[in-house]
């Protein structure tokens, strides 16, 4: 199973995303989608799992939940927009992380690309694809692409889309 992971598009979808994700089975969006047009473009391209973020309006909130928990390739996945990172989890998710630890915990919001394990929960892999949009403090727009095979995350790739233009 090949996954394209994106976040913080803020209403901007670079056409390079389509090229980088053309071989993916699914796209996962970790919030701050920005516009229904971006959501629909991704949804029309590949199966999409998405959550809303703090900048997303009611139209996006009606299309996406705040949290998504699901199984993919034998792994438990949790996607939310504001979740923090190991060990500095957001207070809204910390208790659940401890009591019901997923295998993959995905967040956006920070605009900082991170791939890291939790030293206190070694089976948990934290992913944040950074920001793919033009708005924010990030300098380089980024994505993640990976595979889930034999109940393991493999072939992790950090992809740079180029400099933020605004």
């Amino acid at each position: 199973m090949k996954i394209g992971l994106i976040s913080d598009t803020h209403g901007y979808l670079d056409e390079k995303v389509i090229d980088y994700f053309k071989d993916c089975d699914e796209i996962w969006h970790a919030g701050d989608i920005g516009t229904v047009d971006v959501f629909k473009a991704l949804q029309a391209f590949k199966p999409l799992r998405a959550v809303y973020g703090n900048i997303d309006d009611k139209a996006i909130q009606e299309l996406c939940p705040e949290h998504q928990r699901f199984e993919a390739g034998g792994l438990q996945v949790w996607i939310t927009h504001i979740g923090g990172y190991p060990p500095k989890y957001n207070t809204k998710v910390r208790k659940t992380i401890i009591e019901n630890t997923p295998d993959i915990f995905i967040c956006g919001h920070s605009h900082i690309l991170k791939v890291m394990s939790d030293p206190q929960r070694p089976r948990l892999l934290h992913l944040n694809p950074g920001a793919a949009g033009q708005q924010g403090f990030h300098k380089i727009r980024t994505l993640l692409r990976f595979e889930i095979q034999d109940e393991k995350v493999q072939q992790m790739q950090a992809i740079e889309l180029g400099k933020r233009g605004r």
Side-chain angles (χ1 to χ4, degrees):
M1 174 179 230
K2 295 180 182 180
I3 306 299
L5 181 57
I6 188 170
S7 188
D8 294 277
T9 46
H10 290 262
Y12 175 77
L13 184 60
D14 190 319
E15 60 190 42
K16 292 181 216 169
V17 171
I18 303 303
D19 188 49
Y20 283 117
F21 288 173
K22 70 179 181 273
D23 294 328
C24 292
D25 298 305
E26 292 185 358
I27 296 173
W28 299 350
H29 197 303
D32 279 2
I33 298 164
T35 64
V36 171
D37 289 343
V38 169
F39 177 88
K40 287 183 177 178
L42 289 170
Q43 186 180 48
F45 176 58
K46 295 283 180 177
L48 176 65
R49 296 180 193 259
V51 297
Y52 70 80
N54 58 296
I55 67 111
D56 290 319
D57 64 12
K58 273 280 194 219
I60 297 290
Q61 291 176 23
E62 289 175 5
L63 296 169
C64 306
E66 181 179 8
H67 305 277
Q68 280 218 37
R69 285 197 78 140
F70 55 93
E71 184 271 332
L75 298 177
Q76 293 299 312
V77 180
W78 181 4
I79 305 175
T80 193
H81 184 62
I82 302 174
Y85 59 91
K88 297 179 180 183
Y89 296 109
N90 180 285
T91 55
K92 291 182 179 182
V93 302
R94 183 178 297 123
K95 183 177 179 187
T96 305
I97 289 281
I98 293 166
E99 293 175 356
N100 189 8
T101 305
D103 299 302
I104 304 172
F105 182 60
I106 297 170
C107 305
H109 188 63
S110 72
H111 292 220
I112 300 169
L113 186 144
K114 285 187 189 228
V115 176
M116 61 188 296
S117 59
D118 183 332
Q120 296 174 348
R121 290 160 199 84
R123 74 177 181 107
L124 184 146
L125 177 64
H126 168 71
L127 303 176
N128 184 325
Q134 295 285 11
Q135 295 180 12
F137 64 88
H138 59 285
K139 293 183 180 359
I140 303 293
R141 297 174 297 112
T142 56
L143 310 167
L144 287 173
R145 186 171 58 190
F146 59 94
E147 295 180 17
I148 299 176
Q149 195 170 35
D150 300 323
E151 297 184 6
K152 293 180 184 164
V153 173
Q154 301 179 19
Q155 304 296 320
M156 180 67 66
Q157 296 175 298
I159 298 166
E160 292 186 356
L161 295 171
K163 291 183 180 181
R164 180 177 55 84
R166 294 184 195 159

